[in-house]
């Protein structure tokens, strides 16, 4: 998740000189607006964890959904990233991001809150649930493409991007720790549809926190000429033209495919084959998620002590090799559950560290005028991998059984480690210099240095890598 290059849109919006209380000095703990945003997102992420478990369990328990239908549900939640992220990225580079984020979270509040209401009124069915899941996915695209571009506005100083990424990563990991256990308890006590009320309330908290932010977001300067296809090409070209960003995007696609495939098939395997109840599934995921929290908490110190590329290699390898332990799990039930926990712990630990590196790199290598389109290009690949992973999980589990499908997914995930060995990211030593902003009205292509000159050449610039997260 991701703040990074200059927070201003050009010379006309340059920030005033820092004062003794300016958020550019000291740490982000003194930046009130960032703290408000961080609080709202932390609460929202916790609620989202409830939905991640409660939505598929609603399909399984309330409507007897098959493996393929559960995979389709996960696919529909993420497929909007494939079709809409690039278009929304172009749009968010033309407008202020905070109103867009407010609208997206208000819509998610209504959609998620409607599920328990429709369930109580006995009008909810599987088809309507799939439609709601897809609509929530569309709103998620709008918010996710916007927030990474918005955070530099409240962070302001590029030197704080790694700290901001680490704090956001810590929130995500903390939600991973607390969320599944909370979700399991709520689903067991209230039923899966009713548990979604918690997520609806979390979006309300996020909306309030955004309304309380006082930092004025500058209106993006209009470019000399706006052309949708050209702006789409510019965003993709920025990512695919820089070999560090390109490597991060392609590996991220594979990592997200692996994680969503494994998570979806584990849910099917645990529920249908092993007979684990929601509280047991939540306990496994919550205990394992401590790895992500640890990774986020130690990431800054690890990155400061060791070469950036080496940390990225080790962290991503842990993420990709973690699913193997699920396949190898066997023996008595307690030992099997311990292996499940160790598998997800290893994956989350790698993600916690790699995610901070990836987000910081993306923000550092991209000028603010291109941030929305860069984020959209990454979201398309990353969540596209997740969407296809969810679909593949349902199809593979339906044909091979959940355990057989897990074996195939684990082998494919481990093979991606070979690709890491040839990535330019692993040769980086530190973050690169941020690229220059384009003058107001300049075409998008000139919004920063071209491709590999955006900073220094990849091998020598120390440009950090990126992880499986967005």
């Amino acid at each position: 998740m991701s703040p990074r290059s200059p927070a201003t849109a050009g010379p006309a919006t340059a920030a005033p000189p820092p004062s003794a209380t300016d958020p550019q000095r000291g740490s982000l703990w003194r930046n009130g607006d960032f703290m408000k945003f961080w609080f709202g997102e932390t609460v929202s992420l916790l609620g989202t964890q409830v939905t991640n478990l409660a939505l598929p369990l609603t399909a399984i328990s309330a409507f007897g959904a098959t493996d393929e239908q559960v995979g389709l549900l996960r696919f529909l939640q993420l497929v909007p990233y494939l079709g809409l992220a690039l278009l929304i990225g172009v749009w968010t580079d033309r407008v202020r991001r905070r109103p867009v984020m407010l609208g997206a979270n208000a819509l998610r509040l209504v959609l998620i809150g409607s599920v328990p209401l429709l369930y109580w009124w006995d009008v909810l069915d599987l088809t309507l649930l799939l439609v709601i899941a897809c609509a929530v996915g569309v709103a998620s695209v709008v918010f996710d493409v916007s927030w990474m571009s918005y955070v530099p506005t409240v962070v302001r100083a590029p030197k704080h991007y790694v700290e901001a990424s680490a704090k956001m990563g810590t929130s995500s990991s903390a939600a991973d720790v607390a969320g599944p256990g909370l979700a399991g308890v709520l689903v067991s006590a209230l039923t899966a549809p009713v548990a979604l009320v918690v997520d609806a309330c979390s979006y309300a908290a996020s909306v309030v926190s955004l309304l309380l932010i006082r930092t004025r977001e500058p209106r993006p300067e209009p470019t000399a000429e706006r052309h949708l296809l050209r702006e789409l090409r510019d965003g993709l070209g920025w990512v695919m033209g820089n070999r560090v960003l390109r490597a991060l995007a392609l590996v991220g696609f594979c990592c997200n495919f692996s994680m969503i495939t494994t998570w979806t098939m584990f849910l099917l395997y645990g529920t249908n084959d092993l007979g684990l109840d929601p509280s047991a599934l939540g306990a496994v995921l919550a205990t394992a998620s401590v790895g992500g929290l640890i990774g986020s908490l130690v990431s800054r110190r690890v990155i400061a002590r060791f070469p950036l590329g080496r940390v990225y290699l080790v962290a991503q390898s842990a993420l990709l090799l973690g699913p193997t332990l699920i396949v190898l799990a066997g023996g008595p039930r307690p030992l099997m559950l311990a292996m499940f926990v160790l598998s997800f712990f290893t994956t989350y630990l790698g993600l916690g560290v790699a995610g901070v590196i990836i987000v910081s790199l993306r923000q550092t290598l991209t000028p603010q005028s291109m941030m929305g389109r860069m984020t959209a290009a990454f979201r398309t690949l990353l969540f596209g991998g997740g969407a296809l992973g969810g679909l593949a999980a349902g199809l593979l589990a339906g044909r091979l059984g959940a355990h057989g499908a897990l074996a195939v997914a684990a082998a494919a995930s481990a093979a991606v480690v070979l690709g890491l060995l040839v990535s330019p990211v692993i040769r980086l030593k530190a973050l690169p210099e941020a690229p220059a902003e384009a003058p107001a009205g300049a075409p998008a292509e000139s919004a920063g240095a071209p491709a590999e000159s955006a900073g220094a050449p990849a091998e020598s610039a120390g440009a950090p890598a990126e992880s499986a997260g967005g």
Side-chain angles (χ1 to χ4, degrees), residues 381-447:
L381 284 168
L382 296 176
F383 283 85
L388 295 176
L391 190 61
L395 294 175
L396 284 172
R399 283 154 183 73
L400 303 177
H403 190 269
L406 279 167
V408 172
S413 180
V416 179
V417 175
L418 299 176
L420 287 176
L421 300 178
V422 298
S423 169
V425 176
I426 69 171
R427 294 190 286 274
L428 302 175
K429 291 182 170 54
L431 287 169
E433 294 294 323
E437 259 310 333
E445 293 94 310
S446 63

Side-chain angles (χ1 to χ4, degrees), residues 1 4 23 72 103 182 252 278 293 298 305 323 380 466:
M1 325 178 163
R4 236 179 320 222
L72 178 61
L182 174 63
L293 180 59
V298 305
R305 182 171 180 179
T380 297
E466 182 208 5

Side-chain angles (χ1 to χ4, degrees), residues 71-296:
L72 178 61
L73 175 68
R74 194 62 177 141
F75 174 74
L76 290 174
Q77 284 181 274
L78 298 175
V79 74
Y81 286 91
L82 278 173
L84 297 176
L86 288 171
L87 294 172
I88 293 171
V90 171
W91 174 52
T92 57
D93 276 340
R94 298 176 176 179
V95 298
R96 289 191 175 101
R97 278 85 180 218
R98 190 176 72 147
V100 173
M101 294 157 62
L102 282 166
N105 269 0
L107 179 59
R108 288 196 284 188
L109 188 164
V110 172
L111 290 169
I112 293 295
S114 71
V115 173
L117 290 175
L118 295 171
Y119 179 74
W120 286 333
W121 295 335
D122 201 26
V123 294
L124 185 68
D125 59 21
L126 184 58
T127 300
L128 184 54
L129 189 67
L130 294 173
V131 171
I132 290 173
C134 189
V136 169
V138 173
S140 297
V141 176
V142 174
F143 187 89
D144 287 346
V145 169
S146 301
W147 85 259
M148 285 193 187
S149 307
Y150 176 72
V151 167
T153 299
V154 292
V155 171
R156 298 176 57 183
K159 70 177 182 179
H160 288 148
Y161 289 163
V162 170
E163 182 184 355
S165 297
K167 281 180 164 55
M168 295 299 293
T170 299
S171 293
S172 179
S173 298
D176 286 343
V177 171
L182 174 63
V185 171
L186 289 172
V187 170
S188 296
L190 304 175
T191 73
V194 179
L196 293 170
V197 170
V198 173
D199 194 16
C201 293
S202 75
Y203 285 125
S206 178
V207 167
V208 172
S209 72
L210 285 169
L211 289 171
L212 292 175
I213 292 174
R214 289 290 171 258
T215 298
R216 184 179 179 276
E217 182 183 6
R219 184 181 297 277
E221 295 289 339
T223 57
E225 179 184 351
R226 285 180 170 174
H227 189 279
L228 178 62
L229 293 179
R230 183 162 140 197
E231 290 177 87
L232 287 173
R233 186 183 67 238
D234 291 343
L236 283 171
W238 185 266
V239 172
M240 302 311 289
N242 182 299
R243 57 182 172 175
V244 171
L245 293 178
R246 180 173 65 244
L248 291 177
L250 295 178
V251 171
F253 174 90
C254 296
C255 288
N256 273 20
F257 184 94
S258 168
M259 291 182 67
I260 298 299
T261 301
T262 301
W263 189 92
T264 304
M265 289 190 297
F266 174 73
L267 190 63
L268 295 170
Y269 179 51
T271 302
N272 297 332
D273 294 12
L274 301 181
L276 299 178
D277 60 29
S279 59
L281 290 171
V284 168
L285 295 172
T287 306
S289 297
V290 173
L293 180 59
I294 293 172
S296 296

Side-chain angles (χ1 to χ4, degrees), residues 363-376:
Q363 290 171 332
T364 299
L365 288 171
T366 307
Q368 184 68 10
S369 61
M370 291 288 293
M371 195 71 76
R373 281 165 285 176
M374 176 279 295
T375 301

